[in-house]
Each structure stands twice: as C-alpha cells, then as structure tokens.
Amino acid sequence: MAECEWGKMCNSIEDNGAHALSEALSTNSTLTTSYLTGNLIEGSGVQALADALKINSTLTTLDLQSNSTGYENTAQALTEALTTNGTLTTLYLKNNSIGDNGALALSQALKTNSTLTTLD
C-alpha cells in the first residue's frame, strides 16, 4: 500500500472498489464531485470509471490524482469518455505517469469536448 501524505484521501480503493463506485455513478443523478486521490486504482478501475462517465450526467469534477493510472489504455478509456460526456468540467490526473502517448490520446478528446475547463 502506498504511504499516505498530507492532503491525499488514501482510502486504499483498488480496482474492485472503483468498479463498485462506477456502478453507482452510472445511475446516480446528484453527485457532482468525486475525490479519489491517492488510491490504488489502475487499468480496469479507470476503465470502469470512464464507462460510467459516458452515462453519468451530473458529475462535474473527477479527481484521480496520485493513483496508478499511468497506462496508455487508461488514458484511452478516459479519452473515449471525454468525447461523449457533456458535464465533466474538471479532471485531475496529476502524478499518474500518463506519459506522452497518454497525453496525445487525451489531446484528441479535447478537440471535441466542449465542457472540460480544467485538466491537471
């Protein structure tokens, strides 16, 4: 388990927990902000969250800082979500080692997304 630092949520949420949260996000119509900072969410967890973003119409802020999302396929999953989601305005991905290919994938989504105003 990663060591928690001041200001990080550090709830030890892994992919299974992200899948459960994704199911809830798919039907939830009130939640606007989700802080999942400093957890252990990786590929399949991010994919599940991205799939939920394709359906969810209320979430405006998703904070995935300092997880283990730094794989090309997770950036691609978020890219696909950003092309269809019309409500997310803020996405935090700091300290995830997305890399050049991940940044390239995300940049493609920004060409068509009209709601995201903050990408960190």
Side-chain angles (χ1 to χ4, degrees):
M1 179 169 55
E3 185 176 318
C4 290
E5 298 174 19
W6 179 254
K8 291 186 179 179
M9 300 309 283
C10 298
N11 288 310
S12 299
I13 297 171
E14 296 181 7
D15 286 345
N16 286 339
H19 281 272
L21 290 171
S22 299
E23 288 179 29
L25 281 175
S26 295
T27 58
N28 181 279
S29 61
T30 56
L31 189 69
T32 60
T33 303
S34 180
Y35 292 110
L36 297 172
T37 305
N39 286 291
L40 303 167
I41 303 170
E42 296 182 332
S44 72
V46 173
Q47 179 67 57
L49 290 168
D51 289 344
L53 284 176
K54 293 176 187 177
I55 300 166
N56 181 281
S57 62
T58 57
L59 198 69
T60 59
T61 300
L62 178 60
D63 188 342
L64 291 172
Q65 292 183 74
S66 301
N67 276 278
S68 301
T69 64
Y71 305 101
E72 287 181 40
N73 59 338
T74 58
Q76 184 61 41
L78 290 169
T79 296
E80 292 170 11
L82 290 174
T83 59
T84 58
N85 180 282
T87 56
L88 197 69
T89 60
T90 305
L91 177 60
Y92 294 112
L93 295 173
K94 189 185 301 184
N95 297 324
N96 277 305
S97 302
I98 295 292
D100 288 343
N101 289 332
L104 180 62
L106 290 168
S107 73
Q108 296 303 311
L110 295 178
K111 292 178 181 178
T112 58
N113 181 286
S114 62
T115 57
L116 198 68
T117 58
T118 303
L119 176 61
D120 185 11

